[in-house]
Structure formats: structure tokens, C-alpha cells
């Protein structure tokens, strides 16, 4: 994604980091109190990654494997920085590879 629109929100102890551009929307969901380190991205785990591509039917790809690395998370200043990559599928045989993702956001 070139120049994606990004944001981070917290609700009920869960943080959602998302970005969109070029017809795609990528979203990562994890605990709001996450600490720096490496985390597995899985379809039903502590870290969930999704990719929505409106050009494919069904459009939602769930992350089946990958890694989220939280570089920094400063709760008092409400900032979070990380990198990620994951593979996903849409349940109908289509797959997606998300590589070299990154974010540095204030929530």
C-alpha cells in the first residue's frame, strides 16, 4: 500500500490497528496492554490479522500464520510501533501474502 490511511483504536481492552489503500484494508487486533516482543498471528489466537480485498469474493482473508513484532508500546503517551507479516486465506481457495507491514501510531 502506498501512503495508506492508518489508525489505532482501543475498546474493551483490545487494540485494533488498521490501514487502507489501493483497494485493500489490513487490520491487526491484539491486547491493549501488549508489551514489546514477537507474537504469532493466527486465525483464532491472541493476535488476529485480516485483509479485506473488495475485488475478490469472498473479500475477507483471515491470517493463518505470521508474526507481529511490537517494537515499542508506551501506554502513558498512547503510542505503539510495530512490524508484521502474515499469510491469509478467504476460505474459498484464494490466498494473500502480507509482507513488510509496519505502523507507528498514536491512539
Amino acid at each position: 500500500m502506498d501512503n495508506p490511511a492508518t489508525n489505532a483504536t482501543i475498546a474493551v481492552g483490545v487494540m485494533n490497528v488498521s490501514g487502507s489503500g489501493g483497494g485493500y484494508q489490513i487490520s491487526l487486533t491484539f491486547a491493549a496492554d501488549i508489551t514489546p516482543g514477537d507474537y504469532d498471528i493466527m486465525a483464532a489466537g491472541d493476535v488476529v490479522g485480516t485483509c479485506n480485498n473488495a475485488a475478490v469474493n469472498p473479500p475477507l482473508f483471515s491470517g493463518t500464520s505470521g508474526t507481529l513484532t511490537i517494537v515499542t508500546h508506551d501506554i502513558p503517551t498512547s503510542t505503539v510501533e510495530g512490524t508484521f507479516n502474515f499469510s491469509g486465506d478467504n476460505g474459498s481457495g484464494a490466498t494473500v501474502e502480507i509482507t513488510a507491514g509496519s505502523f507507528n501510531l498514536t491512539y
Side-chain angles (χ1 to χ4, degrees), residues 18-99:
S18 61
S20 61
Y24 292 88
Q25 180 176 3
I26 296 171
S27 178
L28 298 167
T29 304
F30 48 86
D33 61 353
I34 198 166
T35 57
D38 294 330
Y39 299 87
D40 292 332
I41 295 175
M42 294 180 284
D46 293 335
V47 178
V48 175
T50 60
C51 175
N52 193 322
N53 177 355
V56 177
N57 188 20
L60 184 63
F61 292 79
S62 295
T64 54
S65 66
T67 304
L68 167 66
T69 300
I70 297 297
V71 178
T72 61
H73 184 200
D74 189 334
I75 294 171
T77 63
S78 300
T79 57
V80 61
E81 178 182 1
T83 61
F84 62 93
N85 64 74
F86 66 90
S87 301
D89 69 57
N90 70 350
S92 292
T95 60
V96 65
E97 293 290 327
I98 306 300
T99 60

Side-chain angles (χ1 to χ4, degrees), residues 8-16 29-32 107:
T9 58
I10 293 181
V12 192
V14 176
M15 182 177 296
N16 181 270
T29 304
F30 48 86
Y107 55 89

